[in-house]
Amino acid sequence: MKKYISAILITVILAGTAYASPLTVGFVTGSPGLGDLSYNDMSYGGVRKAQQEFKFKLIILEPEKNGETTEKDFLKLIKQCDAVILIGIQHAQLVKTLAPKFPEKKFILLEIPLNKIPNVSSVEFKQEEGSFLAGALAAYMSKTGKIGFIGGTPVPPVLKFQKGYVQGAKFAVPDIDIEISYVSPIGDFSGFNAPDKGNAIAMNQYADGADIIFTVAGLTGNGVIEAARRNGKYAIGVDSDQDSLAKGFVLTSMIKKLDMACYEELKALMKNRFNAGPSFYGLKENGVGLSKMKYTRDKISDQILNNISIIKNKIINGKITIDLKTDTPSHNSLK
Protein backbone atom coordinates (compact mmCIF):
# COMPACT_ATOMS: atom_id res chain seq x y z
CA MET A 1 0.00 0.00 0.00
CA LYS A 2 1.46 3.35 -1.01
CA LYS A 3 2.05 5.81 1.78
CA TYR A 4 1.90 9.59 1.74
CA ILE A 5 3.45 11.53 4.57
CA SER A 6 1.93 15.00 4.68
CA ALA A 7 3.81 18.25 4.91
CA ILE A 8 2.14 18.88 8.26
CA LEU A 9 3.39 15.62 9.76
CA ILE A 10 6.89 15.84 8.36
CA THR A 11 7.54 19.50 9.20
CA VAL A 12 9.39 19.92 12.48
CA ILE A 13 11.17 22.81 14.17
CA LEU A 14 13.55 23.92 11.46
CA ALA A 15 16.56 26.21 11.45
CA GLY A 16 17.87 28.19 8.52
CA THR A 17 16.82 30.85 6.07
CA ALA A 18 13.23 32.04 6.43
CA TYR A 19 10.95 32.25 3.41
CA ALA A 20 7.75 34.32 3.33
CA SER A 21 6.06 31.58 1.31
CA PRO A 22 7.93 28.27 1.74
CA LEU A 23 8.05 26.01 -1.27
CA THR A 24 6.53 22.55 -1.15
CA VAL A 25 8.79 19.73 -2.31
CA GLY A 26 7.68 16.19 -3.11
CA PHE A 27 10.05 13.30 -2.45
CA VAL A 28 9.34 10.06 -4.34
CA THR A 29 11.34 7.21 -2.87
CA GLY A 30 12.67 4.18 -4.67
CA SER A 31 11.82 0.61 -3.76
CA PRO A 32 11.03 -0.47 -1.07
CA GLY A 33 10.65 2.95 0.54
CA LEU A 34 11.98 4.39 3.77
CA GLY A 35 13.47 2.10 6.40
CA ASP A 36 15.81 0.17 4.09
CA LEU A 37 18.99 1.33 5.90
CA SER A 38 20.45 1.92 2.45
CA TYR A 39 19.39 3.63 -0.76
CA ASN A 40 16.23 5.40 0.36
CA ASP A 41 17.25 6.28 3.88
CA MET A 42 20.50 7.81 2.65
CA SER A 43 18.63 9.89 0.06
CA TYR A 44 16.14 11.00 2.69
CA GLY A 45 19.02 12.19 4.87
CA GLY A 46 20.07 14.63 2.14
CA VAL A 47 16.50 15.79 1.58
CA ARG A 48 16.03 16.41 5.30
CA LYS A 49 19.30 18.34 5.51
CA ALA A 50 18.08 20.61 2.72
CA GLN A 51 14.68 20.95 4.41
CA GLN A 52 16.27 21.99 7.68
CA GLU A 53 18.33 24.64 5.90
CA PHE A 54 15.71 26.04 3.53
CA LYS A 55 12.48 25.39 5.48
CA PHE A 56 10.45 23.98 2.61
CA LYS A 57 7.41 21.80 3.22
CA LEU A 58 7.91 18.15 2.35
CA ILE A 59 5.51 15.50 1.09
CA ILE A 60 6.79 11.93 0.76
CA LEU A 61 5.40 9.36 -1.65
CA GLU A 62 6.48 5.75 -1.22
CA PRO A 63 5.97 3.10 -3.91
CA GLU A 64 3.47 0.32 -4.34
CA LYS A 65 4.51 -3.20 -3.29
CA ASN A 66 5.95 -3.80 -6.77
CA GLY A 67 8.38 -0.94 -6.18
CA GLU A 68 6.80 1.45 -8.66
CA THR A 69 4.74 4.62 -8.40
CA THR A 70 1.59 4.96 -10.48
CA GLU A 71 1.00 7.88 -12.82
CA LYS A 72 -2.16 8.72 -10.89
CA ASP A 73 -0.31 9.06 -7.58
CA PHE A 74 2.57 10.96 -9.16
CA LEU A 75 0.15 13.38 -10.82
CA LYS A 76 -1.58 13.98 -7.48
CA LEU A 77 1.78 14.72 -5.87
CA ILE A 78 2.86 17.12 -8.63
CA LYS A 79 -0.29 19.19 -8.16
CA GLN A 80 0.56 19.65 -4.46
CA CYS A 81 4.20 20.65 -5.00
CA ASP A 82 6.45 23.30 -6.50
CA ALA A 83 9.22 20.78 -7.11
CA VAL A 84 9.63 17.01 -6.97
CA ILE A 85 12.76 14.93 -6.37
CA LEU A 86 12.59 11.26 -7.38
CA ILE A 87 14.91 8.36 -6.62
CA GLY A 88 15.25 5.47 -9.06
CA ILE A 89 15.32 4.63 -12.75
CA GLN A 90 11.74 3.27 -12.56
CA HIS A 91 10.51 6.87 -12.37
CA ALA A 92 12.21 8.05 -15.57
CA GLN A 93 9.21 7.48 -17.84
CA LEU A 94 6.88 9.26 -15.44
CA VAL A 95 9.16 12.30 -15.50
CA LYS A 96 9.47 12.21 -19.28
CA THR A 97 5.70 12.03 -19.64
CA LEU A 98 4.51 14.49 -17.01
CA ALA A 99 7.28 17.07 -16.51
CA PRO A 100 6.63 18.79 -19.89
CA LYS A 101 2.97 19.21 -18.90
CA PHE A 102 3.97 21.25 -15.84
CA PRO A 103 6.66 23.66 -17.12
CA GLU A 104 6.30 25.91 -14.08
CA LYS A 105 7.41 23.10 -11.74
CA LYS A 106 10.90 21.64 -11.27
CA PHE A 107 11.85 17.97 -11.27
CA ILE A 108 15.05 16.32 -10.00
CA LEU A 109 15.66 12.67 -10.93
CA LEU A 110 18.46 10.59 -9.42
CA GLU A 111 19.98 7.54 -11.11
CA ILE A 112 19.59 8.22 -14.82
CA PRO A 113 20.54 11.23 -16.97
CA LEU A 114 17.79 13.07 -18.82
CA ASN A 115 18.43 15.71 -21.47
CA LYS A 116 16.38 18.31 -23.32
CA ILE A 117 13.60 18.77 -20.77
CA PRO A 118 14.02 22.36 -19.52
CA ASN A 119 12.47 21.80 -16.09
CA VAL A 120 14.26 18.52 -15.30
CA SER A 121 17.62 18.17 -13.58
CA SER A 122 19.09 14.68 -13.31
CA VAL A 123 21.94 12.94 -11.53
CA GLU A 124 23.95 9.93 -12.62
CA PHE A 125 26.43 8.25 -10.30
CA LYS A 126 29.55 6.56 -11.56
CA GLN A 127 28.94 3.60 -9.27
CA GLU A 128 31.04 1.46 -11.57
CA GLU A 129 34.11 3.35 -10.30
CA GLY A 130 33.47 2.64 -6.63
CA SER A 131 32.42 -0.91 -7.49
CA PHE A 132 35.72 -1.44 -9.31
CA LEU A 133 37.46 -0.74 -6.00
CA ALA A 134 35.08 -3.10 -4.18
CA GLY A 135 35.77 -5.85 -6.71
CA ALA A 136 39.51 -5.41 -6.48
CA LEU A 137 39.37 -5.53 -2.68
CA ALA A 138 37.18 -8.64 -2.73
CA ALA A 139 39.52 -10.45 -5.13
CA TYR A 140 42.60 -9.52 -3.14
CA MET A 141 40.95 -10.68 0.09
CA SER A 142 39.33 -13.89 -1.16
CA LYS A 143 40.85 -17.08 0.22
CA THR A 144 38.81 -19.43 -1.99
CA GLY A 145 39.35 -17.68 -5.32
CA LYS A 146 35.59 -17.23 -5.69
CA ILE A 147 33.43 -14.20 -4.91
CA GLY A 148 29.78 -13.33 -5.52
CA PHE A 149 27.42 -10.57 -6.61
CA ILE A 150 23.70 -10.35 -5.81
CA GLY A 151 21.60 -7.67 -7.50
CA GLY A 152 17.98 -6.69 -6.93
CA THR A 153 16.97 -6.61 -10.60
CA PRO A 154 19.20 -6.08 -13.67
CA VAL A 155 18.31 -2.46 -14.44
CA PRO A 156 21.10 -0.27 -15.90
CA PRO A 157 22.21 1.33 -12.59
CA VAL A 158 22.62 -2.10 -10.97
CA LEU A 159 24.38 -3.47 -14.04
CA LYS A 160 26.89 -0.63 -13.66
CA PHE A 161 27.65 -1.91 -10.15
CA GLN A 162 28.08 -5.42 -11.54
CA LYS A 163 30.33 -4.41 -14.43
CA GLY A 164 32.58 -2.31 -12.20
CA TYR A 165 32.79 -5.04 -9.57
CA VAL A 166 33.65 -7.77 -12.07
CA GLN A 167 36.25 -5.67 -13.87
CA GLY A 168 37.84 -4.57 -10.57
CA ALA A 169 38.06 -8.16 -9.38
CA LYS A 170 39.62 -9.35 -12.65
CA PHE A 171 42.03 -6.41 -12.61
CA ALA A 172 43.30 -7.55 -9.21
CA VAL A 173 43.15 -11.33 -9.77
CA PRO A 174 42.59 -12.19 -13.45
CA ASP A 175 41.51 -15.79 -12.80
CA ILE A 176 39.05 -14.96 -9.99
CA ASP A 177 35.74 -16.86 -10.18
CA ILE A 178 32.64 -14.66 -9.84
CA GLU A 179 29.09 -15.94 -9.31
CA ILE A 180 26.36 -13.46 -10.30
CA SER A 181 22.72 -13.74 -9.22
CA TYR A 182 19.64 -11.50 -9.41
CA VAL A 183 16.67 -11.66 -7.07
CA SER A 184 13.97 -10.66 -9.57
CA PRO A 185 13.82 -10.29 -13.36
CA ILE A 186 14.05 -6.99 -15.24
CA GLY A 187 11.03 -4.79 -14.60
CA ASP A 188 10.24 -6.41 -11.23
CA PHE A 189 11.48 -4.13 -8.47
CA SER A 190 10.38 -6.45 -5.67
CA GLY A 191 13.96 -7.76 -5.71
CA PHE A 192 14.93 -4.76 -3.60
CA ASN A 193 12.51 -5.73 -0.84
CA ALA A 194 13.11 -9.45 -0.32
CA PRO A 195 15.66 -10.07 2.46
CA ASP A 196 14.61 -13.72 2.80
CA LYS A 197 15.33 -14.36 -0.88
CA GLY A 198 18.62 -12.49 -0.62
CA ASN A 199 19.58 -14.62 2.35
CA ALA A 200 18.75 -17.85 0.51
CA ILE A 201 20.74 -16.84 -2.61
CA ALA A 202 23.70 -15.80 -0.48
CA MET A 203 23.64 -19.05 1.49
CA ASN A 204 23.83 -20.92 -1.82
CA GLN A 205 26.72 -18.79 -3.09
CA TYR A 206 28.66 -19.32 0.13
CA ALA A 207 27.96 -23.06 -0.10
CA ASP A 208 29.30 -22.96 -3.67
CA GLY A 209 32.62 -21.60 -2.43
CA ALA A 210 32.25 -17.82 -2.55
CA ASP A 211 33.67 -16.17 0.54
CA ILE A 212 32.79 -12.52 -0.25
CA ILE A 213 29.50 -11.30 -1.76
CA PHE A 214 28.69 -7.79 -2.97
CA THR A 215 24.98 -7.06 -2.51
CA VAL A 216 23.27 -4.35 -4.59
CA ALA A 217 19.66 -4.95 -3.66
CA GLY A 218 18.39 -2.41 -1.13
CA LEU A 219 16.61 -3.99 1.84
CA THR A 220 17.27 -7.44 0.33
CA GLY A 221 20.92 -6.88 1.15
CA ASN A 222 20.17 -7.17 4.86
CA GLY A 223 19.47 -10.86 4.24
CA VAL A 224 22.78 -11.22 2.41
CA ILE A 225 24.65 -9.59 5.29
CA GLU A 226 22.94 -11.92 7.75
CA ALA A 227 24.04 -14.90 5.63
CA ALA A 228 27.63 -13.61 5.78
CA ARG A 229 27.44 -13.41 9.55
CA ARG A 230 26.01 -16.93 9.86
CA ASN A 231 28.70 -18.39 7.61
CA GLY A 232 31.61 -16.46 9.04
CA LYS A 233 32.20 -14.93 5.58
CA TYR A 234 32.17 -11.40 4.19
CA ALA A 235 29.50 -9.31 2.53
CA ILE A 236 30.02 -5.93 0.87
CA GLY A 237 27.35 -3.34 1.61
CA VAL A 238 26.00 -0.73 -0.76
CA ASP A 239 24.88 2.91 -1.00
CA SER A 240 25.22 3.81 2.70
CA ASP A 241 27.90 2.70 5.17
CA GLN A 242 26.48 -0.68 6.21
CA ASP A 243 29.64 -1.90 7.94
CA SER A 244 28.01 -1.79 11.39
CA LEU A 245 25.07 -4.03 10.40
CA ALA A 246 27.25 -7.08 11.11
CA LYS A 247 30.49 -5.83 12.61
CA GLY A 248 33.46 -7.68 11.22
CA PHE A 249 31.44 -9.48 8.53
CA VAL A 250 30.86 -6.53 6.19
CA LEU A 251 34.24 -6.15 4.51
CA THR A 252 33.40 -2.68 3.22
CA SER A 253 30.48 -0.77 1.75
CA MET A 254 30.45 0.86 -1.67
CA ILE A 255 29.00 4.20 -0.66
CA LYS A 256 27.03 6.15 -3.22
CA LYS A 257 26.50 9.61 -1.78
CA LEU A 258 22.83 10.01 -2.55
CA ASP A 259 22.52 12.27 0.48
CA MET A 260 25.08 14.67 -0.93
CA ALA A 261 23.45 14.67 -4.37
CA CYS A 262 19.95 15.23 -2.98
CA TYR A 263 21.17 18.07 -0.80
CA GLU A 264 23.21 19.77 -3.54
CA GLU A 265 20.42 19.53 -6.12
CA LEU A 266 17.82 20.92 -3.72
CA LYS A 267 20.23 23.64 -2.58
CA ALA A 268 20.72 24.74 -6.19
CA LEU A 269 16.94 24.83 -6.64
CA MET A 270 16.38 26.89 -3.49
CA LYS A 271 19.10 29.36 -4.46
CA ASN A 272 17.66 29.80 -7.96
CA ARG A 273 20.59 27.96 -9.54
CA PHE A 274 18.53 25.11 -10.97
CA ASN A 275 20.27 23.66 -14.02
CA ALA A 276 18.41 21.39 -16.39
CA GLY A 277 20.19 18.33 -17.75
CA PRO A 278 22.49 15.74 -16.15
CA SER A 279 25.27 16.03 -13.61
CA PHE A 280 27.67 13.24 -12.66
CA TYR A 281 29.11 12.03 -9.35
CA GLY A 282 32.14 9.72 -9.41
CA LEU A 283 35.39 9.13 -7.52
CA LYS A 284 36.78 12.47 -8.68
CA GLU A 285 33.73 14.30 -7.35
CA ASN A 286 33.79 12.25 -4.11
CA GLY A 287 30.34 10.99 -5.06
CA VAL A 288 31.21 7.30 -4.66
CA GLY A 289 33.81 5.36 -2.72
CA LEU A 290 34.54 2.69 -0.16
CA SER A 291 33.70 2.97 3.53
CA LYS A 292 36.38 3.48 6.16
CA MET A 293 36.21 -0.26 6.99
CA LYS A 294 36.19 0.49 10.70
CA TYR A 295 35.55 -3.12 11.72
CA THR A 296 37.70 -4.93 9.14
CA ARG A 297 40.68 -2.70 8.40
CA ASP A 298 42.85 -4.68 10.81
CA LYS A 299 42.26 -7.77 8.66
CA ILE A 300 43.42 -6.07 5.43
CA SER A 301 47.14 -5.87 4.73
CA ASP A 302 48.88 -2.58 4.10
CA GLN A 303 49.86 -3.87 0.66
CA ILE A 304 46.24 -4.45 -0.33
CA LEU A 305 45.18 -1.04 1.00
CA ASN A 306 48.02 0.56 -0.95
CA ASN A 307 46.95 -1.27 -4.11
CA ILE A 308 43.38 0.00 -3.68
CA SER A 309 44.71 3.54 -3.28
CA ILE A 310 46.77 3.20 -6.47
CA ILE A 311 43.78 1.86 -8.38
CA LYS A 312 41.58 4.72 -7.14
CA ASN A 313 44.09 7.33 -8.31
CA LYS A 314 44.44 5.62 -11.69
CA ILE A 315 40.67 5.71 -12.21
CA ILE A 316 40.52 9.40 -11.26
CA ASN A 317 43.42 10.18 -13.60
CA GLY A 318 41.90 8.22 -16.47
CA LYS A 319 44.62 5.58 -16.53
CA ILE A 320 42.07 2.87 -15.77
CA THR A 321 38.83 3.01 -17.71
CA ILE A 322 35.72 0.92 -17.07
CA ASP A 323 33.92 -0.40 -20.13
CA LEU A 324 30.23 -0.94 -19.35
CA LYS A 325 29.86 -3.17 -22.42
CA THR A 326 32.27 -5.85 -21.24
CA ASP A 327 33.46 -7.69 -18.15
CA THR A 328 37.12 -7.37 -19.11
CA PRO A 329 39.25 -4.64 -17.49
CA SER A 330 41.23 -2.32 -19.73
CA HIS A 331 44.47 -3.73 -18.26
CA ASN A 332 45.60 -5.35 -15.03
CA SER A 333 48.82 -3.64 -14.07
CA LEU A 334 49.33 -1.35 -11.12
CA LYS A 335 52.34 0.20 -12.86
Side-chain angles (χ1 to χ4, degrees):
M1 184 69 180
K2 57 189 174 293
K3 293 175 282 183
Y4 283 94
I5 303 178
S6 71
I8 294 175
L9 290 175
I10 199 67
T11 302
V12 296
I13 298 173
L14 301 173
T17 306
Y19 288 85
S21 300
L23 296 179
T24 298
V25 174
F27 173 44
V28 184
T29 75
S31 177
L34 298 179
D36 64 350
L37 302 177
S38 181
Y39 185 78
N40 292 291
D41 287 355
M42 193 171 196
S43 302
Y44 179 59
V47 173
R48 285 286 289 119
K49 179 181 177 181
Q51 187 196 22
Q52 289 172 346
E53 184 170 342
F54 298 104
K55 303 181 88 172
F56 54 78
K57 297 178 181 179
L58 182 63
I59 302 174
I60 299 173
L61 174 60
E62 297 187 86
E64 300 282 351
K65 288 184 178 180
N66 64 1
E68 298 189 68
T69 299
T70 67
E71 183 171 326
K72 178 182 177 181
D73 290 328
F74 186 38
L75 187 59
K76 178 181 176 182
L77 180 69
I78 292 172
K79 291 178 178 178
Q80 299 177 74
C81 300
D82 301 289
V84 180
I85 182 166
L86 307 95
I87 313 299
I89 188 173
Q90 66 267 43
H91 300 127
Q93 190 55 51
L94 285 176
V95 173
K96 290 178 183 178
T97 300
L98 294 178
K101 298 179 180 180
F102 296 89
E104 76 283 6
K105 299 178 185 282
K106 304 298 185 186
F107 298 82
I108 301 167
L109 176 64
L110 272 72
E111 284 293 36
I112 185 169
L114 291 182
N115 284 297
K116 300 180 181 179
I117 307 178
N119 60 333
V120 176
S121 173
S122 60
V123 170
E124 182 173 19
F125 289 90
K126 297 179 180 179
Q127 54 253 41
E128 68 274 14
E129 295 183 349
S131 297
F132 193 101
L133 301 183
L137 178 62
Y140 284 135
M141 288 293 293
S142 177
K143 295 179 179 179
T144 64
K146 183 174 184 177
I147 60 176
F149 176 93
I150 298 176
T153 188
V155 290
V158 179
L159 288 171
K160 289 173 65 179
F161 278 103
Q162 177 195 315
K163 294 291 185 181
Y165 180 68
V166 169
Q167 289 183 47
K170 290 185 176 180
F171 177 94
V173 181
D175 60 351
I176 191 78
D177 187 7
I178 307 168
E179 184 172 350
I180 298 171
S181 303
Y182 279 90
V183 182
S184 61
I186 187 75
D188 180 358
F189 291 91
S190 66
F192 295 98
N193 188 25
D196 289 346
K197 290 182 180 179
N199 183 271
I201 294 170
M203 293 293 282
N204 286 334
Q205 287 199 4
Y206 289 130
D208 288 342
D211 56 354
I212 303 171
I213 299 174
F214 184 23
T215 172
V216 184
L219 187 62
T220 298
N222 292 6
V224 177
I225 291 171
E226 175 59 17
R229 187 190 66 78
R230 288 184 183 180
N231 284 273
K233 306 295 184 182
Y234 285 127
I236 295 176
V238 73
D239 293 332
S240 63
D241 186 343
Q242 298 185 313
D243 293 9
S244 64
L245 294 184
K247 295 177 181 178
F249 299 100
V250 180
L251 178 62
T252 186
S253 295
M254 206 305 283
I255 298 174
K256 187 165 66 172
K257 297 186 179 177
L258 293 135
D259 54 345
M260 179 180 78
C262 286
Y263 171 76
E264 291 296 338
E265 294 297 314
L266 287 169
K267 177 181 176 181
L269 172 68
M270 297 298 160
K271 289 183 172 290
N272 295 314
R273 296 202 302 261
F274 179 87
N275 287 313
S279 56
F280 300 89
Y281 291 76
L283 287 175
K284 184 177 181 180
E285 296 79 16
N286 196 33
V288 299
L290 299 184
S291 65
K292 294 181 179 179
M293 297 173 270
K294 179 179 178 181
Y295 306 104
T296 56
R297 183 169 286 268
D298 62 331
K299 299 179 178 68
I300 306 170
S301 71
D302 290 342
Q303 182 62 58
I304 289 175
L305 291 172
N306 185 60
N307 288 351
I308 297 300
S309 179
I310 292 171
I311 292 169
K312 177 181 178 179
N313 289 331
K314 283 183 174 292
I315 293 173
I316 291 173
N317 295 330
K319 295 180 179 179
I320 293 177
T321 58
I322 302 164
D323 187 348
L324 297 176
K325 296 180 181 179
T326 180
D327 284 336
T328 304
S330 56
H331 65 285
N332 62 352
S333 173
L334 290 173
K335 296 181 180 180

